[in-house]
Amino acid sequence: MRDAAIARRFAKAFIAAAIEAKSVEQYGQELADASSAFKAGPELYKFLLNPMYKLTERMALLDKVSGALGLSSPVKRLLSILVENRAIRLLEQVSSAYSRLADEISGRLRATVKAPFDLSADALEEIKDRLKAATGREAVLSFEKDENLLGGLVVRIDNTIIDGSLKRQLEFMKEKILEGVV
């Protein structure tokens, strides 16, 4: 919990700078790219967190990684601050918190759709349209195939789950039948 709060503070401060620079989307993408690079190479975290290496050595590696990823100066500076504060391990959480804040600012919501089979582009577009009509916000969908579902859909928006799966409907019917029998 403490790490999540720290990550949110970094994200809030960084998004304030991004808003001022009118680069919310650009910085968000760069932050996501950096997070992906670090996730793909966990040895980067180990080196950058290892106090056996001088801070100048760790910063030199960070500069090389930032250059290879083509990161802007503000994103490089954020990563430097994370390294200096030994908080670089929170990069993925900072990126995720930043993304949520950027979505709020731009009026988007992120939703995950699960179904037991692949959905067509038209079906996903229909779900997007219905979510927009229900929430008044633009929906960004991600799709997951879940073969454990018997049929129907499960849509997750943050901590809200809309379970329209056949499995859940059958469980609900079972509960109602047992309530009536007992």
Side-chain angles (χ1 to χ4, degrees):
M1 180 65 180
R2 184 171 175 263
D3 285 349
I6 293 168
R8 270 194 308 276
R9 271 190 245 131
F10 277 113
K12 282 182 180 179
F14 192 58
I15 203 157
I19 291 169
E20 191 173 307
K22 295 183 169 98
S23 299
V24 173
E25 297 298 323
Q26 176 194 342
Y27 292 175
Q29 185 58 54
E30 289 180 23
L31 203 52
D33 292 345
S35 178
S36 295
F38 276 76
K39 193 174 183 179
E43 59 279 352
L44 285 172
Y45 283 123
K46 289 178 185 173
F47 183 87
L48 294 173
L49 287 169
N50 192 336
M52 302 257 320
Y53 298 103
K54 293 179 183 176
L55 183 59
T56 54
E57 293 173 318
R58 291 184 277 156
M59 289 301 188
L61 175 64
L62 184 62
D63 283 342
K64 287 181 183 177
V65 171
S66 297
L69 293 173
L71 302 179
S72 62
S73 296
V75 176
K76 286 182 194 177
R77 182 68 188 130
L78 173 65
L79 296 179
S80 297
I81 291 169
L82 291 174
V83 170
E84 289 170 6
N85 289 295
R86 298 189 43 79
I88 193 69
R89 64 183 165 43
L90 301 176
L91 179 58
E92 192 173 340
Q93 290 176 305
V94 171
S95 177
S96 180
Y98 181 94
S99 179
R100 283 191 299 278
L101 291 169
D103 287 344
E104 281 180 31
I105 289 168
S106 65
R108 285 187 307 253
L109 65 90
R110 295 203 182 264
T112 303
V113 178
K114 290 184 182 181
F117 45 83
D118 290 326
L119 294 176
S120 68
D122 290 340
L124 288 172
E125 198 60 41
E126 175 71 20
I127 294 168
K128 256 188 200 181
D129 292 342
R130 288 185 184 223
L131 285 173
K132 184 173 183 172
T135 63
R137 296 167 63 193
E138 185 69 33
V140 177
L141 298 182
S142 61
F143 175 76
E144 293 178 17
K145 187 174 180 179
D146 185 352
E147 294 177 356
N148 292 327
L149 296 174
L150 301 174
L153 300 172
V154 176
V155 179
R156 181 184 181 112
I157 306 167
D158 292 325
N159 292 328
T160 304
I161 297 175
I162 304 166
D163 192 343
S165 67
L166 185 57
K167 181 179 179 180
R168 176 64 190 131
Q169 290 174 20
L170 290 172
E171 288 171 0
F172 182 73
M173 287 173 52
K174 178 182 173 184
E175 288 171 11
K176 289 299 178 189
I177 290 171
L178 291 176
E179 285 176 8
V181 173
V182 176

